[in-house]
Amino acid sequence: QHVAMLFRVTLITRIPLKEHLAEVHWTVSNGLLLASERHLGAEHPIRRLVKPHTYGAAEVNEASTKALAPVKGLAWRTFGFTKESWPIVMTDQVNAFRLHTLEEHFAASGLPDDFKHSLPLYRDGLDLYAITERYVRAYVDIFYADDEAVLADEELGAYWADFSVQIPNNVYALPALGKESLIRQ
C-alpha cells in the first residue's frame, strides 16, 4: 500500500510539473513559438505548420510563470516543497527535458507492459501520435524532398539552432537537422 501511495504522489507531482508545465508549455511550446517567430518568415511552411499549435501560447506561458513558478505561487502551495527546494525542483524539471516520442517515453518508463496497456494514454496516445506523425510527414513531404532540401533552407537551420539552445546548459538533445528529425520535432 505504501509503494502504491508513493507511486500515486510521485505521478500527481510529476505530470503537472514536469510533463505538462515544464515540457509542454515552457519548453516545447515556447521553443516552437520563439524559434519560429524569430527565424521563419510568415509564409514559411514550418511556421505555418506550427502556428495553430502555438497561437496564444505566449500569454498562457507567461501567465504560468507568474502564477505557478514562484515560491508562494499556486504550484508551490499545491505540492508542498520547501522554499529552498522549490527553485531547484523547477530548474530540474526544465533541464531534464529531452526530445522524445510518446513511444520512446513509455519504453523508458520501466512500467510493466500489462500496466502500460491498461492506460488510455498509452493505448489512445500512441494511435494519436501515429496519426499526427503521418500528417506532419505528408505536410513536410510537400516542401522538402530529402535531407538536402531541409539543409538548404537557411531559415530552417536558424530555427533549429535557436530551438536547440533556448535553455542554458540544455540543448534539448535534438539530433542534427534533417528531414526525419524535423518531422520528429
Side-chain angles (χ1 to χ4, degrees), residues 15-68:
I15 289 174
L17 288 183
K18 182 180 186 299
E19 295 180 5
H20 186 83
L21 184 61
E23 292 186 3
V24 171
H25 285 283
W26 293 349
T27 305
V28 175
S29 175
N30 275 343
L32 289 173
L33 175 67
L34 294 174
S36 65
E37 288 189 356
R38 289 175 182 159
H39 302 286
L40 303 176
E43 296 303 314
H44 191 281
I46 299 305
R47 183 165 176 184
R48 290 172 50 203
L49 177 64
V50 302
K51 181 68 176 174
H53 306 285
T54 60
Y55 180 79
E59 293 82 9
V60 170
N61 294 339
E62 182 181 15
S64 74
T65 63
K66 293 176 181 174
L68 299 173

Side-chain angles (χ1 to χ4, degrees), residues 25-175:
H25 285 283
W26 293 349
T27 305
V28 175
S29 175
N30 275 343
L32 289 173
L33 175 67
L34 294 174
S36 65
E37 288 189 356
R38 289 175 182 159
H39 302 286
L40 303 176
E43 296 303 314
H44 191 281
I46 299 305
R47 183 165 176 184
R48 290 172 50 203
L49 177 64
V50 302
K51 181 68 176 174
H53 306 285
T54 60
Y55 180 79
E59 293 82 9
V60 170
N61 294 339
E62 182 181 15
S64 74
T65 63
K66 293 176 181 174
L68 299 173
V71 169
K72 297 189 179 181
L74 180 60
W76 177 78
R77 291 192 310 264
T78 300
F79 294 106
F81 289 96
T82 66
K83 288 180 185 178
E84 297 76 25
S85 67
W86 185 246
I88 296 165
V89 167
M90 295 308 292
T91 300
D92 286 351
Q93 301 312 304
V94 172
N95 287 339
F97 177 77
R98 296 294 179 266
L99 182 66
H100 60 274
T101 65
L102 186 59
E103 190 171 32
E104 291 166 343
H105 174 76
F106 276 112
S109 71
L111 296 172
D113 284 343
D114 59 334
F115 181 73
K116 285 191 285 193
H117 289 282
S118 74
L119 300 171
L121 177 61
Y122 183 81
R123 293 188 317 268
D124 301 334
L126 291 177
D127 288 344
L128 179 59
Y129 182 88
I131 292 166
T132 304
E133 191 270 341
R134 283 194 307 271
Y135 167 76
V136 171
R137 181 175 300 284
Y139 181 87
V140 170
D141 281 344
I142 294 168
F143 301 97
Y144 302 99
D146 53 25
D147 287 340
E148 211 170 279
V150 168
L151 296 173
D153 185 332
E154 291 180 15
E155 287 180 76
L156 198 51
Y159 156 85
W160 195 259
D162 187 321
F163 188 83
S164 297
V165 296
Q166 287 184 31
I167 296 176
N169 304 317
N170 183 338
V171 294
Y172 290 128
L174 280 180

